[in-house]
Amino acid sequence: MTLTVDFTLDGAATSITVTEAAITLLDILRQQLGKTGTRAGCRNGDCGACTVLIDGEAYKSCLVPAWRVTGTTVETIQGLAPNGEPLHPVQQAFRNEDGFQCGFCLAGSVLCLVSLLRTNPDPTDQSIVDSLVGNLCRCTGYQQIMTAARAATDP
Ligand code: FES
Ligand code: FES
């Protein structure tokens, strides 16, 4: 198959050619589009490191066939602060509250919270936990992540 896929990526009109139905959005983002801030972890839907927003909702990009994003708006961690500064308020909260160490999981957690806060600016702790389910962190510990998430809701 050869399919042209047009979509918006981090605010820019983007066109890719997909030649295999099974190629994932994760691989296209990292290998063709320079979005290496989208991490490749388990590649199996278990860790959340590859999370992106598609039309504002969090998806694990390792589970999304690239052709499925036709006509959508995709946001990666690199779109939140394209020039590095200023950081998005959720990113800043994670920095302020030591919400990460190695940072491998960070993009997934941050994007899930960004998605949550757009629709629910004053979430309960349970809503925060629900939004982060599926994002595994092997180093920081979830208490700091929760602290950062709470700080992001009350910057
Ligand atoms: S790399 Fe996608 S969930 Fe782990
Ligand atoms: S900060 Fe290292 S995996 Fe979360």
Side-chain angles (χ1 to χ4, degrees), residues 70-91:
T70 301
T72 69
T73 295
V74 176
E75 296 170 82
T76 75
I77 192 71
Q78 289 168 241
L80 292 184
N83 300 315
E85 299 285 348
L87 294 175
H88 185 282
V90 175
Q91 293 173 303

Side-chain angles (χ1 to χ4, degrees), residues 84-121:
E85 299 285 348
L87 294 175
H88 185 282
V90 175
Q91 293 173 303
Q92 191 64 53
F94 272 73
R95 174 186 276 180
N96 293 347
E97 303 297 337
D98 297 326
F100 62 95
Q101 289 182 35
C102 78
F104 199 82
C105 67
L106 184 63
S109 298
V110 166
L111 286 169
C112 285
L113 285 167
V114 167
S115 178
L116 172 68
L117 292 174
R118 283 179 183 167
T119 56
N120 182 2

Side-chain angles (χ1 to χ4, degrees), residues 47 94 108-113 116 126-136 142 145-146 149:
C47 73
F94 272 73
S109 298
V110 166
L111 286 169
C112 285
L113 285 167
L116 172 68
Q126 188 59 54
S127 295
I128 294 171
V129 169
D130 290 346
S131 78
L132 292 172
V133 163
N135 290 276
L136 303 183
Y142 298 100
I145 290 174
M146 281 299 295

Side-chain angles (χ1 to χ4, degrees), residues 15-36:
S15 186
I16 57 172
T17 299
V18 174
T19 55
E20 295 175 45
I23 192 162
T24 66
L25 178 59
L26 171 63
D27 284 336
I28 291 286
L29 289 173
R30 289 182 56 83
Q31 295 169 11
Q32 292 190 29
L33 297 172
K35 301 296 184 180
T36 51

